[in-house]
Amino acid sequence: MRLLFTCSELGLGHVSRIIPLGKQLEQDGCETFFLSGGKAYELLKKEFQHSYKCTPIAWYENASGIVVPASMLNIIFPLSVFNTEKHHFEIKRSVIMEVVLRSYDLREKLCTTAPDMVIADGDIAALRIATNHKIPSLYITNLLRPNYGFMHFLDFGKAIADRYVEKTTKIVVPDNPPPYTISDYNIGNIQALAFKDKIEYVGAFMDTTHVPGSDEHVFAPISGPIGTRSKILQTIFPVLTKTRCKAIISLGIFGKKTSVKVGNCEIHSWLSTDERQEAMKNARYVIFSGGHITCFETIKYAKPSICIPTQPEQDGNAAKMQDLGCSIKVKNQKELAKAIQKMEQNLPVYKKNMLNLNNVSSKFNGLDRTVEIIKTV
């Protein structure tokens, strides 16, 4: 069976699901091809022989993070932006143009690889191309009809997305079934969707069997584009340096490996997978942005958390984790300082709630179930 995988590059959560899924299907004898852009492509080409680069689709972002008003304007118009990694100004194409160019990339690769199925993680454009070529498709997503933090004028965009999503063969949500769905507010009310029968909650793509650890430090893994990482660091660092507890901060700078100690804080440019797991396992609690994959990392090690969302999807995840009594959602340094104090005072309660959530999550194996679905389709 020939499979074409595509994934969004808006954060590395999408590619982190595609990689283990692709490897497992390769072991089962499938022929695989991968398509993405940005950092996601860089990760894919290190793991798979047949990895191809395509036009990335991105928010408008500067050194302060994602700029929502500019991102809305950038949907139609190209805008000037300062590239903080290359240190020069450049023109960011409109999102419409990015979608058009990506569609051409997808169509070309679809013709050359001739897959039996398209597997898209967060890449709606791929679903449209697969439908037009009458090829079965599987959509992996933790975002369908968000009802938390998204602006109402984006409802038109949601309706357009629904047109392509509803034509896919199967929709996989890599999350717990309700009422313990971490992406609950981002999935929305699926009972109102015409394609609700295609949706299946399969569980996380990682093994969430509980791994006990110690409470040696506070762990703050920072991820996302450079502007977002900078914004989170500016919020976390001044507060953590004033606490007595040892803190480990990972800056999420892929490919670099430097470390420095400032007061009680150990700051690492990048942590390997093993180092990150060790830091998570022995954390007292975790401070992060609310990304879906990291939410399940905290569940695996049953670690309470404080979330500092930088975009609506993370805001929805953080709100659900808070409603489950497992996390505290904050916006700024002042709220973070209060949250740390609250977390320290009520740590046993938050730990108990995390263990309960782990007990539910560990009953599902999203990776194995998704492989079964793909073979069935």
Side-chain angles (χ1 to χ4, degrees), residues 142-201:
N142 49 281
L143 181 71
L144 278 174
R145 296 291 285 173
N147 54 18
Y148 189 97
F150 280 78
M151 301 177 185
H152 289 297
F153 70 81
L154 293 178
D155 286 346
F156 178 70
K158 297 176 189 175
I160 293 176
D162 281 354
R163 289 180 56 192
Y164 302 123
V165 173
E166 69 181 355
K167 294 178 182 178
T168 192
T169 313
K170 187 73 176 179
I171 301 166
V172 163
V173 179
D175 206 326
N176 302 325
Y180 298 100
T181 310
I182 305 305
S183 56
D184 190 12
Y185 302 142
N186 293 317
I187 297 298
N189 179 19
I190 65 172
Q191 297 306 316
L193 298 175
F195 49 88
K196 63 182 179 181
D197 293 337
K198 295 183 179 182
I199 302 170
E200 181 175 341
Y201 294 88

Side-chain angles (χ1 to χ4, degrees), residues 221-233:
I222 298 175
S223 61
I226 186 170
T228 300
R229 297 199 306 267
S230 175
K231 185 176 182 179
I232 297 176
L233 181 63

Side-chain angles (χ1 to χ4, degrees), residues 93-111:
R93 289 178 293 216
S94 69
V95 173
I96 289 176
M97 180 55 67
E98 289 173 346
V99 171
V100 170
L101 293 174
R102 189 185 187 93
S103 296
Y104 279 115
D105 295 338
L106 288 164
R107 188 180 294 111
E108 178 186 359
K109 198 52 60 182
L110 201 72
C111 293

Side-chain angles (χ1 to χ4, degrees), residues 255-299:
K256 296 184 178 180
K257 184 66 175 176
T258 57
S259 301
V260 65
K261 188 170 183 180
V262 181
N264 63 321
C265 293
E266 289 182 11
I267 305 174
H268 304 273
S269 60
W270 179 262
L271 293 177
S272 67
T273 301
D274 290 341
E275 290 170 334
R276 180 186 173 94
Q277 290 175 350
E278 191 69 14
M280 185 75 72
K281 182 180 74 172
N282 295 320
R284 188 170 177 82
Y285 51 91
V286 180
I287 302 176
F288 71 113
S289 60
H292 192 251
I293 296 294
T294 311
C295 282
F296 275 96
E297 283 186 280
T298 65
I299 292 171

Side-chain angles (χ1 to χ4, degrees), residues 43-62:
L43 290 171
L44 285 170
K45 73 177 183 178
K46 288 186 175 183
E47 301 289 341
F48 302 101
Q49 179 182 357
H50 302 296
S51 296
Y52 308 98
K53 191 174 185 179
C54 68
T55 303
I57 299 174
W59 294 98
Y60 183 92
E61 181 185 24
N62 58 24

Side-chain angles (χ1 to χ4, degrees), residues 54-118:
C54 68
T55 303
I57 299 174
W59 294 98
Y60 183 92
E61 181 185 24
N62 58 24
S64 299
I66 295 171
V67 184
V68 176
S71 290
M72 298 301 102
L73 191 63
N74 184 232
I75 291 175
I76 300 175
F77 302 104
L79 296 176
S80 175
V81 64
F82 185 75
N83 189 317
T84 51
E85 293 181 324
K86 297 181 180 179
H87 305 290
H88 62 73
F89 280 96
E90 59 188 25
I91 299 298
K92 182 188 178 303
R93 289 178 293 216
S94 69
V95 173
I96 289 176
M97 180 55 67
E98 289 173 346
V99 171
V100 170
L101 293 174
R102 189 185 187 93
S103 296
Y104 279 115
D105 295 338
L106 288 164
R107 188 180 294 111
E108 178 186 359
K109 198 52 60 182
L110 201 72
C111 293
T112 57
T113 59
D116 299 305
M117 187 176 188
V118 172

Side-chain angles (χ1 to χ4, degrees), residues 325-344:
C326 298
S327 183
I328 304 173
K329 185 165 74 78
V330 303
K331 297 178 181 178
N332 50 48
Q333 291 183 23
K334 185 177 180 180
E335 291 185 6
L336 176 59
K338 290 182 179 179
I340 288 175
Q341 185 178 11
K342 181 179 178 181
M343 182 65 69
E344 292 288 352

